[in-house]
């Protein structure tokens, strides 16, 4: 998988004909690595905004209409919903990070076997191998995996989330952390996801049938309730005059940034994939992220007609001493944590400004807003 906008657009064009009925009817089936599946594989590109949510949803509506492509469109909005929910509850991310760091100092029994794919549960061990080797995993398999990790192997959910985050090309703080909490029964209190052998057999077309090996009647996990949502503060106006644009791994589509008329005199790029976890990130994730940043810098240099180059984190103070630096806003996560000490000027995209505040409750409260969001953001 090439980490470039050109590759993203090619994959988008190839999958667009399948965004309607084919996706709705086939999205839960996981035929296995290398076999045709009715999922888009666009998420690594959307995650880094090599293509934007608007572009993907617009393609679905243009090809199929909003009603026929509803299931696919909802999946695109899930990522924005998760980001908005976490943006209103940053302590959930902080708590997750602290628990991972503490637990990895002395991992529980069974953890090493689980991440090595040596549990003896054939489907789970195969998914470990797929994830490590490819950096991807079918969405339905992710749910089964998380459920088996939590309820059958009885391992801490946050260590499973950390394992995913280290290996998923599309891993981001909100979608990954909160999806694991949802499976555990912590996001929607008391509602957990249970992996069942019959369901796995059906949706893997019989490749796996773990009858008698899974705990299929577990209770949801119990933890303290998350904090109440707090409003997302508005961003100050951008400073006037020439600016340096900082591109980063969370947003690599500089062509569509609203710079409010400021002149960009140079572009710099920064990514920190190793900050995902105390154990860093897999080589696949690092290569993909670094390659995506290089692609973004190349396009930014062409778009703005200015020099573009990498900048090291330790060189940011010197850069900030001489330049006004703007950047696309980094959502709650490791990159925002890394950049928080520096006086940067974030730009909030219209998509995020419209979607994030609607994530205060559950997705069922968010979902009725999707038609209006599509009308306002896409037209």
């Amino acid at each position: 998988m090439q980490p470039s906008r050109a590759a993203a657009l090619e994959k988008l064009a190839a999958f667009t004909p399948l965004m309607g009925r084919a996706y709705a009817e086939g999205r839960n089936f996981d035929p296995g690595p290398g076999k045709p599946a009715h999922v888009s594989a666009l998420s690594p590109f959307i995650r880094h905004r090599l293509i934007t949510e608007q572009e993907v949803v617009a393609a679905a509506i243009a090809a199929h209409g909003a009603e026929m492509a509803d299931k696919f469109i909802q999946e695109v909005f899930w990522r924005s919903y998760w980001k908005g929910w976490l943006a209103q509850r940053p302590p959930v991310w902080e708590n997750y990070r602290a628990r991972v760091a503490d637990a990895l100092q002395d991992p529980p029994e069974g953890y090493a076997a689980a991440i090595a794919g040596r549990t003896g549960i054939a489907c789970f061990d195969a998914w470990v191998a797929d994830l490590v080797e490819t950096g991807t995993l079918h969405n339905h398999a992710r749910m089964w995996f998380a459920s088996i990790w939590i309820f059958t192997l009885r391992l801490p959910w946050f260590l499973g989330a950390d394992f995913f985050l280290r290996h998923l090309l599309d891993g981001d703080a909100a979608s990954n952390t909160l999806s694991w909490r949802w499976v555990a029964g912590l996001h929607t209190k008391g509602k957990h996801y249970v992996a069942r052998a019959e369901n796995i057999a059906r949706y893997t077309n019989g490749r796996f049938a773990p009858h008698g090996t899974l705990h299929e009647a577990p209770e949801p996990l119990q933890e303290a309730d998350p904090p109440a949502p707090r409003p997302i503060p508005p961003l100050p106006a951008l400073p006037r005059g020439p600016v340096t644009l900082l591109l980063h791994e969370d947003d690599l589509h500089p062509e569509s940034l609203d710079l409010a008329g400021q002149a960009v005199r140079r572009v710099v790029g920064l990514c920190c994939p190793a900050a995902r976890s105390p154990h860093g990130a897999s080589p696949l994730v690092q290569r993909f992220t670094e390659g995506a940043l290089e692609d973004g810098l190349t396009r930014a240099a062409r778009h703005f007609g200015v020099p573009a180059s990498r900048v090291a984190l330790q060189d940011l103070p010197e850069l900030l001493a001489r330049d006004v630096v703007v950047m696309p806003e980094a959502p709650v996560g490791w990159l925002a944590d890394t950049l928080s000490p520096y006086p940067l000027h974030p730009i909030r995209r219209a998509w995020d400004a419209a979607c994030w505040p609607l994530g205060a409750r559950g997705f069922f409260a968010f979902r009725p807003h999707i038609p209006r969001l599509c009308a306002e953001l896409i037209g």
Side-chain angles (χ1 to χ4, degrees):
M1 186 181 295
Q2 291 297 316
S4 69
R5 177 165 169 79
L9 291 172
E10 183 178 345
K11 191 170 285 291
L12 174 62
F15 190 74
T16 295
L18 302 176
M19 289 176 176
R21 179 175 296 173
Y23 178 81
E25 295 178 354
R27 66 194 180 101
N28 285 330
F29 286 90
D30 178 13
K35 296 183 179 179
H38 289 300
V39 292
S40 71
L42 287 167
S43 56
F45 303 107
I46 300 171
R47 180 262 175 274
H48 293 290
R49 275 187 171 149
L50 291 167
I51 51 174
T52 67
E53 295 90 340
Q54 288 102 318
E55 290 177 291
V56 176
V57 173
I61 293 173
H64 303 279
E67 184 175 352
M68 186 64 70
D70 178 62
K71 286 294 184 183
F72 180 82
I73 292 168
Q74 282 188 41
E75 289 304 312
V76 178
F77 275 99
W78 262 103
R79 185 174 292 270
S80 297
Y81 162 72
W82 287 134
K83 288 182 185 296
W85 193 96
L86 197 59
Q88 296 176 73
R89 299 170 180 83
V92 172
W93 168 251
E94 296 160 7
N95 177 265
Y96 157 77
R97 294 280 274 182
R99 294 172 80 179
V100 168
D102 182 63
L104 286 178
Q105 294 183 39
D106 184 21
E109 183 179 354
Y111 171 77
I115 65 171
R118 296 197 306 266
T119 67
I121 302 172
C123 55
F124 184 92
D125 294 345
W127 295 326
V128 169
D130 293 345
L131 175 61
V132 171
E133 291 170 10
T134 69
T136 63
L137 203 59
H138 190 286
N139 185 61
H140 209 165
R142 297 184 196 200
M143 295 164 62
W144 294 323
F145 184 109
S147 182
I148 293 169
W149 178 286
I150 295 166
F151 300 120
T152 297
L153 301 178
R154 293 181 169 84
L155 291 168
W157 70 266
F158 46 87
L159 286 185
D162 174 74
F163 180 62
F164 265 24
L165 199 58
R166 298 197 322 257
H167 290 281
L168 283 172
L169 297 179
D170 66 356
D172 71 48
S175 295
N176 189 64
T177 307
L178 302 180
S179 293
W180 275 81
R181 285 176 51 85
W182 180 82
V183 169
L186 301 172
H187 185 75
T188 303
K189 195 170 181 63
K191 184 178 179 180
H192 54 328
Y193 178 81
V194 180
R196 304 187 190 281
E198 182 180 358
N199 185 264
I200 293 171
R202 176 185 175 189
Y203 286 105
T204 63
N205 296 319
R207 284 190 304 123
F208 301 113
H211 297 287
T213 63
L214 307 182
H215 185 10
E216 298 194 15
E219 294 295 319
L221 298 190
Q222 301 289 331
E223 290 185 3
D225 290 340
R230 65 191 193 196
I232 301 170
L235 295 178
L238 295 180
R240 295 184 180 276
V243 297
T244 292
L245 173 62
L246 173 66
L247 286 185
H248 55 71
E249 65 198 82
D250 283 338
D251 195 317
L252 292 169
H253 195 250
E255 299 93 331
S256 61
L257 278 177
D258 182 2
L259 290 161
Q262 274 85 350
V264 175
R265 64 181 182 182
R266 77 179 70 176
V267 180
V268 295
L270 174 74
C271 63
C272 307
R276 289 186 177 209
S277 164
H279 284 177
S282 75
L284 273 176
V285 165
Q286 293 194 54
R287 287 195 298 272
F288 190 90
T289 307
E290 298 281 349
L293 180 64
E294 290 297 332
D295 182 76
L297 287 172
T298 299
R299 287 183 287 105
R302 184 169 60 243
H303 179 73
F304 295 108
V306 299
S309 60
R310 295 287 296 272
V311 63
L313 188 63
Q314 61 266 28
D315 296 329
L316 266 187
E318 181 182 348
L319 176 66
L320 289 162
R322 65 175 188 266
D323 290 0
V324 173
V325 181
V326 302
M327 69 171 193
E329 183 177 17
V332 171
W334 65 89
L335 185 76
D337 293 346
T338 301
L339 296 178
S340 62
Y342 301 99
L344 300 160
H345 300 277
I347 302 164
R348 182 170 297 158
R349 288 185 178 272
W351 180 278
D352 299 335
C355 294
W356 289 2
L358 302 175
R361 298 165 55 200
F363 186 74
F364 288 116
F366 179 98
R367 189 172 63 182
H369 296 282
I370 292 176
R372 175 182 60 81
L373 291 169
C374 288
E376 292 177 358
L377 297 168
I378 296 166

